[in-house]
Every structure is written in structure tokens, then in C-alpha cells.
Amino acid sequence: RGPDRAWHGDMLDGVGFVRAMRQAGGEPAGERALLIGAGGAGSAIGLQLLDAGVSELAIHDMDAGRRDALISRLSAAYPRRVRAGSTDPDGFGIIANATPLGMRAGDPLPVAVEKLAPGMFIGDVITAPEVSPLLEAGRSLGCKTQTGLNMFLAQRELIVDFLEGKPV
């Protein structure tokens, strides 16, 4: 409850993703980011990446309407820094998969992994398998990566901080 006695809620997908990214050696500030997935988790991650200082955020979602709605919402706060993207990761420093792609054997990869390059940071939200095929592809090139489990653990830290009255 807030000071106004009303209930307030929030989610930790975005801040958890960025905290886990930083814990894994990544830093969003100044980077170009490609976000795959414009649902709830993707929306939160996109906003937090912008809040953390990415220079550009390109968003791809199989549902163009959902993608465009998120671009519109984020562009209101961050004009000229958000645009539509594709599955081509070329030229991006951060690749964020906020889709369930990779959870099941036979799922298509969320990006064109043949265009991944060393130096990219790749984060995934799925927790099982812990190392998704996308992360495996990135790790084989020497990319820094963050698993969905890393994100979950960062979210758990944030929940504990909140419950203990620490700033989150």
C-alpha cells in the first residue's frame, strides 16, 4: 500500500533483466539493442533498456500490431530511439530474447544466429533449458550471455530488497 492507502503493483522483468545483464558483465549504456518479443516481459525489458541508456532499441515481434503498439508507447518517452526491427542481429551490441522460443526442442531460433558476432551480449528470459539454443550459439562465439535463471535470481534479489525496505 502506498501513502494514499491504495494498492500499487509492479513487475520486475525489466529491472531483473538489466540487473542480471550487468551481473554477467554487460552494460546497456550507449549500446544498440535488438529486442525480440513485445509482450509483457518484452515491454518491461524494452523500457528498462531505454532507462539504462541504450542508444537505440529495435523491436521485433511476430505480431506486427503488438510490436507497433510497444514502439508507440516507448517512443512517447524516448523519441527517435525506438524503431521496428527484424530477426537480423547484425550491428547490435545487445540481443534480448523475450519470447518462449527455445523452450521446446525444434523451436525456431529467435534471431539469425549465423549473424551473431563476438562482442555481442545475448540475454534470454526462458529458464528451461537454462542454456537455450540461442545462448549456446552466442557462447560458441565468445559472447557474454545471461540466462533466464540469471534474470529470475536477479528478480528474487529485488523482491528481497523491496521486502527489507531497500531501494530497488
Side-chain angles (χ1 to χ4, degrees), residues 26-136:
E27 176 52 51
E31 293 288 342
R32 294 179 68 228
L34 173 61
L35 172 64
I36 307 297
S43 296
I45 291 166
L47 176 60
Q48 194 62 35
L49 286 170
L50 288 161
D51 286 350
V54 296
S55 62
E56 176 186 12
L57 178 67
I59 302 169
H60 175 73
D61 194 284
M62 292 173 53
D63 180 334
R66 182 166 56 182
R67 176 204 63 207
D68 293 345
L70 179 56
I71 290 169
S72 177
R73 288 192 311 272
L74 294 176
S75 292
Y78 292 95
R80 297 175 302 284
R81 287 178 50 195
V82 186
R83 66 173 178 85
S86 70
T87 60
D88 184 350
D90 189 41
F92 292 96
I94 299 168
I95 312 302
N97 178 36
T99 75
L101 293 175
M103 290 179 70
R104 291 181 304 272
D107 277 352
L109 292 165
V111 299
V113 295
E114 67 277 5
K115 293 188 174 187
L116 294 175
M120 290 178 171
F121 183 92
I122 305 169
D124 210 328
V125 301
I126 65 170
T127 57
E130 182 176 350
V131 179
S132 68
L134 172 62
L135 296 181
E136 283 180 14

Side-chain angles (χ1 to χ4, degrees), residues 124-163:
D124 210 328
V125 301
I126 65 170
T127 57
E130 182 176 350
V131 179
S132 68
L134 172 62
L135 296 181
E136 283 180 14
R139 286 179 177 184
S140 73
L141 296 170
C143 298
K144 291 181 183 178
T145 64
Q146 163 219 308
T147 68
L149 179 60
N150 297 137
M151 181 177 139
F152 169 78
L153 294 173
Q155 289 170 303
R156 185 176 70 180
E157 292 169 4
L158 289 161
I159 290 168
V160 170
D161 289 347
F162 172 78
L163 292 173

